[in-house]
Amino acid sequence: MLNTVAVDLGERSYQVRIGHGLLARAGTEIAPLLRRQRVAIVTEDSVAALHLPALQSALQAEGIASTALALPPGEGTKNWENLARCTEWLLEQKVERKDVVLALGGGVIGDLVGFSAAILRRGVRFVQLPTSLLAQVDSSVGGKTGINTAQGKNLVGAFHQPSLVLADIDVLDTLADRDFLSGYGEVVKYGLLGDAAFFDWLEREGPALRSGDKAARLRAVTRSVEMKAGIVSRDETEEGERALLNLGHTFCHALEKATGYSDRLLHGEGVAIGCALAFELSSRLGLCSQEDPSRVRAHLKAMGMKTDIRDIPGALPGAEALIALMGQDKKVVDGKLRFILARGVGHAFVADDVPGDTVRSVLDDALRS
Ligand SMILES: NC(=O)c1ccc[n+]([C@@H]2O[C@H](COP(=O)([O-])OP(=O)(O)OC[C@H]3O[C@@H](n4cnc5c(N)ncnc54)[C@H](O)[C@@H]3O)[C@@H](O)[C@H]2O)c1
């Protein structure tokens, strides 16, 4: 079973192919993009050990030669040093303007390699081969690429759309449970922001998804990608609707910064906690019912996910300090905090003028409880 979702962006349109055994078919899928039978692959050590041989033999089977660079795994890799290393390696491999670079890995590799492809020879094409759930449902689609700096996450980057995305559901089998659940935070986000029926379905099928049900995983990834592709096609550079994808992210980025982008809190875990907080904030502002935040939290808990700020191990700064960290977020517009709020499950909207006192009380209570 193979699903195809189109990202419609005029000349920069591309397909997201989602299905089983896609890595083994990668040569056939990628061949039509190539001007010469040669690609450079950038991946990271953990993913390379598990999936690089399958990719390289699939390419070889179609007569496509490949070289590969494996960077260290982890968020710390998304930095200037590895951007330079990756870009210079691609130059050493004599990657030319018309060549194609393959990014095999999770969101860290997709973001870093995508950015490197954006600046290499003023832009070369690249293919995303996302291997984590988060990368399959979110980061591989939409063309946001970049790295982290001392000043914050994803503050340096470029919009650079891939030429193709190949999301092989089977590679998720090797993903650690914690990383799977982190990606699931982004899946839940799609239901919460714009598809109440999808959230209903996740409430029923979430446990099957977690335990490896392939049909459920295919459906969840496909629906998530359809939603992201639709939004990106309508608003590529986040002038409006695309901001909805940031549901939970203002809280998430403050919490990630407060925990030093460490193992204490993975990105998708922060998104899940952030979504619960965004619904709590929406409820206190009288925008959605009081039951909505409880429902969100109940589902996250049923999935065994981090749900509340207190689920983050170790000490955290107070509400005021967290709000200050939000102030450094790039979603700040003219000094005002921008939140994505909801009028109910599946009905998110952008709010630019959220009262600071209510945000403070939500955080105070979350930190205290
Ligand atoms: N560009 C975007 O639009 C966008 C959107 C959301 C998140 N992001 C970025 O994505 C990053 C997070 O992505 P992530 O959660 O995929 O992180 P990641 O790339 O670090 O992957 C998470 C972990 O899973 C491992 N892994 C990946 N695939 C595996 C597999 N198939 N089997 C076994 N292990 C595997 C990795 O080695 C790593 O330890 C963050 O940097 C975030 O900023 C970008």
Side-chain angles (χ1 to χ4, degrees):
M1 179 79 174
L2 189 62
N3 293 336
T4 302
V5 179
V7 184
D8 295 319
L9 291 168
E11 284 179 352
R12 285 167 294 107
S13 296
Y14 55 96
Q15 290 188 342
V16 184
R17 313 263 281 159
I18 307 150
H20 306 292
L22 262 174
L23 217 52
R25 289 172 42 88
T28 323
E29 297 281 336
I30 291 165
L33 298 174
L34 304 181
R35 305 277 171 92
R36 58 172 174 161
Q37 300 303 93
R38 191 171 178 275
V39 291
I41 305 167
V42 183
T43 182
E44 43 101 321
D45 291 326
S46 310
V47 171
L50 294 161
H51 301 294
L52 182 60
L55 174 60
Q56 288 196 295
S57 35
L59 294 167
Q60 201 175 18
E62 291 301 310
I64 303 165
S66 63
T67 47
L69 169 70
L71 297 169
E75 188 68 36
T77 294
K78 244 176 75 172
N79 62 12
W80 288 112
E81 189 191 331
N82 284 296
L83 176 69
R85 188 172 158 199
C86 171
T87 311
E88 289 182 8
W89 179 80
L90 290 170
L91 288 170
E92 284 160 15
Q93 302 309 303
K94 304 202 167 27
V95 172
E96 296 173 4
R97 277 292 313 267
K98 308 269 177 184
D99 286 335
V100 173
V101 173
L102 309 189
L104 174 72
V108 165
I109 285 297
D111 280 13
L112 175 84
V113 179
F115 187 32
S116 179
I119 57 176
L120 183 74
R121 300 187 186 279
R122 300 195 178 84
V124 301
R125 292 171 300 153
F126 79 115
V127 172
Q128 290 268 22
L129 296 128
T131 60
S132 68
L133 179 60
L134 184 139
Q136 294 195 350
V137 300
D138 193 357
S139 61
S140 65
V141 180
K144 278 192 183 178
T145 70
I147 55 167
N148 307 325
T149 62
Q151 292 74 17
K153 248 180 85 91
N154 300 328
L155 292 179
V156 175
F159 282 99
H160 186 51
Q161 299 291 344
S163 300
L164 176 69
V165 182
L166 298 177
D168 187 339
I169 296 295
D170 297 337
V171 303
L172 301 178
D173 289 348
T174 56
L175 203 58
D177 189 48
R178 186 176 176 196
D179 289 315
F180 185 86
L181 288 181
S182 171
Y184 188 76
E186 301 278 8
V187 175
V188 169
K189 179 193 80 177
Y190 289 110
L192 294 177
L193 77 87
D195 187 345
F198 184 46
F199 186 74
D200 293 345
W201 182 81
L202 290 172
E203 284 180 318
R204 290 195 304 278
E205 300 296 329
L209 268 173
R210 181 182 178 185
S211 58
D213 182 320
K214 293 277 174 88
R217 286 183 173 189
L218 179 64
R219 178 162 173 192
V221 173
T222 303
R223 183 63 196 132
S224 301
V225 170
E226 279 170 357
M227 290 192 66
K228 178 139 189 195
I231 290 173
V232 166
S233 298
R234 293 187 291 272
D235 177 22
E236 183 183 11
T237 54
E238 202 168 312
E239 305 301 316
E241 187 187 358
R242 187 166 179 166
L244 297 180
L245 295 170
N246 297 323
L247 177 63
H249 281 61
T250 306
F251 288 112
C252 169
H253 284 173
L255 293 169
E256 279 185 298
K257 203 156 200 305
T259 48
Y261 305 107
S262 69
D263 204 32
R264 285 172 63 196
L265 184 73
L266 303 179
H267 178 70
E269 293 174 340
V271 171
I273 294 172
C275 284
L277 289 169
F279 268 80
E280 181 62 37
L281 180 57
S282 304
S283 159
R284 289 197 194 185
L285 292 169
L287 295 161
C288 68
S289 79
Q290 287 181 349
E291 286 72 42
D292 282 336
S294 311
R295 188 178 164 199
V296 175
R297 293 175 64 255
H299 179 54
L300 299 179
K301 270 201 192 311
M303 291 297 291
M305 296 169 71
K306 287 191 172 67
T307 306
D308 300 303
I309 288 187
R310 64 171 178 273
D311 296 333
I312 303 169
L316 283 170
E320 211 54 62
L322 286 174
I323 291 173
L325 291 176
M326 288 174 189
Q328 290 167 27
D329 192 286
K330 65 186 180 313
K331 282 161 214 60
V332 173
V333 179
D334 298 333
K336 281 180 195 154
L337 275 178
R338 162 176 281 201
F339 281 90
I340 310 304
L341 299 179
R343 296 196 175 88
V345 169
H347 298 284
F349 68 100
V350 182
D352 283 319
D353 224 352
V354 178
D357 287 352
T358 319
V359 178
R360 202 169 295 111
S361 79
V362 166
L363 284 171
D364 270 335
D365 292 349
L367 287 159
R368 241 196 319 265
S369 58

